[in-house]
Amino acid sequence: MSLLIGDRWREGCGERLRSTDPASGDVVWEEKTATAADCAGAVAAARHAFSGWARMPLGERIALARRFAALLSDRREAIAATIARETGKPRWEALTEVASMIGKVDASVAAQAERAGERSAAAAFGDAVLRHRPHGVMAVLGPFNFPGHLPNGHIVPALLAGNALVFKPSEETPATGEAMLRAWTDAGLPPGVVNLVQGGREVGAALVGADIDGLLFTGSATAGAALRRATGNRPEVILALELGGNNPLIAWDGDAEAIASIVVQSAFVTAGQRCSCARRLIVPDGAAGDAIVDAVAVLTDRLRIGAWNEVPEPFCGPLISAAAADRALAQYATLVEMGGRAIREFARISGRSDAFVAPGLIDVTGVSVPDEEVFAPLLQVIRVADFDAAIDAANATRFGLAAGLVSDDDELWARYRDAARAGVLNRNRPTTGAAGTMPFGGIGASGNHRPSAYYAADYCAYPVASFEAARVVNQVADLRGVA
Ligand code: NAD
Ligand code: SIN
């Protein structure tokens, strides 16, 4: 049963969709997708459920969200296995994803109270009161790389705020989407408050074209720009776009192996399939830079790459698909053609499925490379003469998601902190360090200034300012210009 519309799980009427384990090719999920009519039906079911859900006292919505978290906890191993099989990420990492999903509930309750709660101030006439109201029906489109955690980061705050939803998971990870929604319905969510449609871009486009009040999107910058165009003549539709990046990491001073541990975690975790992964490593020219690059190469050679359930456990798995590997390898070939020099070749791994690639390191110093995200374990090395040039190189991107500095020098950190253009800016920590207790989002082509995580509460409700007097008071005497 691939769709949840209102109170009914049912078959889709569209094309057949299949997700597979990218390491083995085993089929994980196979069902029919939604049609445009299914999408419209799901939005209508959400619209029908919306007012009752929005009127439910917040405490009851919170209690339901906590039941959902408890069910995720009970099903932790099974959901992690589903995530790992569909994405190829190792079991240990899928378990951390489920833990983030569970933690999202309490973090969102706190965020909502702080950023979208109610407050009141006494005024001469009575009270000035700030309240927040839900938008209505939100469409949530999820990416494949965190198929549970990232849509959950929209869904939990949107439901707490009183919105109803239609969720479309990535076409690469439908089983994870289904497992999430089953936990919500098993937690006792009223019918129609969340609905599920499955399918690819066309199904996403049909959902976006339906009668929605908001679109909460995590995915590529290209798709984000297309969705902005698709909703351009509907300014009333709230749009939260969490997009990709071409993230810089300046590694400047410190013990070379310690630096390498931060670089490798930044660039290669999740096989480079995190929006926050470092794509560009900026190092000083000369011996200090050479030592850093050598240490990164040595540590890269030690990374174990394997299937999600292999023993001993791998550092990372394959890419999401052979097609994703083809795209990334083509981007690498362009860098080589343009003059990039391989330090560690980015290539398929023989004896493995075509989705497996070995992490690559390429020196692109002096080469005018495209400012594109390569969503794979490929790190471009740029050597610079001084720290000003490092800052310039880091900021030379249309994106602005994550960035980092590895240095013990407080003065350099102060300079970079003031000059960097990114929504996540870390020091001596991987660029991939995100937390639900902080906002997460970028500037430039990385989003539309509606950060998610702790600030998701902001785009899930609109503020209402009320100036309230409890009794009708005659104000004729206060009117100016009255005879
Ligand atoms: P994607 O853009 O290909 O797809 C994301 C979702 O949007 C999928 O459900 C897809 O079916 C749908 N979609 C794509 N194009 C569409 C269109 N034109 N109309 C309607 N729906 C459409 O992204 P992906 O490959 O699943 O995920 C990887 C991308 O997501 C990377 O670029 C990564 O940087 C980004 N990402 C961003 C964040 C963030 O928080 N900023 C987090 C994770 C991933
Ligand atoms: C990502 O890097 O793709 C998501 C980061 C997060 O929210 O943990």
Side-chain angles (χ1 to χ4, degrees):
M1 296 291 159
S2 56
L3 314 184
L4 173 63
I5 298 181
D7 60 356
R8 223 159 55 86
W9 285 93
R10 68 168 178 76
E11 290 282 351
C13 300
E15 313 281 307
R16 284 205 88 69
L17 175 68
R18 159 191 290 192
S19 71
T20 52
D21 175 339
S24 63
D26 292 347
V27 174
V28 179
W29 187 98
E30 186 168 5
E31 301 269 355
K32 282 190 179 170
T33 59
T35 59
D38 293 327
C39 292
V43 170
R47 176 87 48 217
H48 184 70
F50 166 60
S51 53
W53 177 244
R55 276 199 308 271
M56 183 183 275
L58 175 61
E60 288 178 33
R61 292 202 298 270
I62 291 175
L64 267 161
R66 292 208 161 113
R67 276 210 286 285
F68 164 74
L71 285 176
L72 290 183
S73 201
D74 293 348
R75 300 173 187 181
R76 179 186 304 255
E77 290 291 340
I79 295 178
T82 303
I83 292 173
R85 289 176 68 212
E86 275 195 322
T87 60
K89 66 176 69 170
R91 186 202 307 268
W92 65 263
E93 195 188 347
L95 282 165
T96 64
E97 179 165 354
V98 181
S100 300
M101 293 167 71
I102 296 166
K104 180 61 66 182
V105 170
D106 280 341
S108 301
V109 170
Q112 192 194 24
E114 185 184 315
R115 300 192 62 83
E118 188 172 322
R119 54 178 190 273
S120 168
F125 52 80
D127 295 296
V129 188
L130 172 63
R131 300 183 180 87
H132 289 82
R133 303 290 307 143
H135 294 285
V137 176
M138 306 290 234
V140 176
L141 298 181
F144 74 79
N145 67 326
F146 281 97
H149 162 57
L150 289 171
N152 189 60
H154 294 304
I155 291 172
V156 172
L159 289 178
L160 286 177
N163 299 283
L165 308 169
V166 182
F167 170 39
K168 189 198 82 63
S170 163
E171 54 273 41
E172 309 279 7
T173 55
T176 305
E178 183 176 328
M180 270 170 78
L181 277 236
R182 287 198 184 276
W184 273 114
T185 55
D186 293 350
L189 205 66
V193 173
V194 288
N195 302 273
L196 178 72
V197 294
Q198 298 278 11
R201 285 175 190 192
E202 331 67 52
V203 177
L207 182 55
V208 171
D211 176 28
I212 55 171
D213 301 300
L215 171 56
L216 311 183
F217 175 79
T218 304
S220 61
T222 308
L227 293 170
R228 187 149 191 163
R229 287 193 296 277
T231 52
N233 62 355
R234 289 187 288 160
E236 68 280 11
V237 173
I238 186 154
L239 195 57
L241 301 176
E242 317 302 332
L243 311 176
N246 188 11
N247 308 313
L249 176 60
I250 303 176
W252 208 252
D253 57 72
D255 170 73
E257 191 184 53
I259 295 176
S261 68
I262 295 170
V263 172
V264 161
Q265 177 70 13
S266 299
F268 300 146
V269 71
T270 326
Q273 297 170 112
R274 288 195 190 191
C275 60
S276 50
C277 276
R279 309 294 176 197
R280 297 177 295 135
L281 175 66
I282 300 163
V283 297
D285 255 341
D290 289 346
I292 293 170
V293 173
D294 287 350
V296 171
V298 167
L299 187 53
T300 300
D301 293 341
R302 291 173 54 198
L303 301 178
R304 217 180 274 126
I305 298 161
W308 66 277
N309 52 355
E310 260 174 46
V311 180
E313 68 184 11
F315 172 80
C316 66
L319 294 183
I320 186 68
S321 63
D326 286 342
R327 281 193 298 276
L329 290 165
Q331 287 174 289
Y332 174 72
T334 302
L335 297 180
V336 172
E337 269 164 37
M338 294 180 83
R341 298 160 297 279
I343 301 166
R344 284 294 178 275
E345 202 188 338
F346 180 60
R348 285 205 154 94
I349 301 178
S350 69
R352 294 284 195 172
S353 84
D354 280 352
F356 277 97
V357 284
L361 263 179
I362 181 166
D363 191 328
V364 297
T365 309
V367 183
S368 181
V369 297
D371 181 18
E372 295 295 346
E373 177 184 61
V374 182
F375 209 56
L378 175 62
L379 185 61
Q380 300 172 46
V381 175
I382 302 167
R383 297 165 192 269
V384 292
D386 56 37
F387 199 69
D388 283 335
I391 293 176
D392 288 347
N395 282 345
T397 173
R398 67 197 167 99
F399 298 96
L401 186 57
L405 172 66
V406 184
S407 170
D408 288 346
D409 187 327
D410 294 342
E411 196 260 331
L412 293 186
W413 170 237
R415 278 168 64 192
Y416 188 44
R417 217 176 48 205
D418 290 348
R421 291 188 47 75
V424 176
L425 183 61
N426 294 346
R427 179 185 180 190
N428 295 334
R429 300 283 306 156
T431 55
T432 44
T437 48
M438 294 276 266
F440 185 86
I443 57 168
S446 295
N448 67 336
H449 304 277
R450 294 202 184 275
S452 194
Y454 203 71
Y455 280 12
D458 296 27
Y459 58 67
C460 289
Y462 64 90
V464 181
S466 295
F467 304 96
E468 302 176 3
R471 299 284 170 268
V472 180
V473 174
N474 188 331
Q475 293 166 41
V476 170
D478 296 335
L479 300 179
R480 311 248 322 236
V482 174

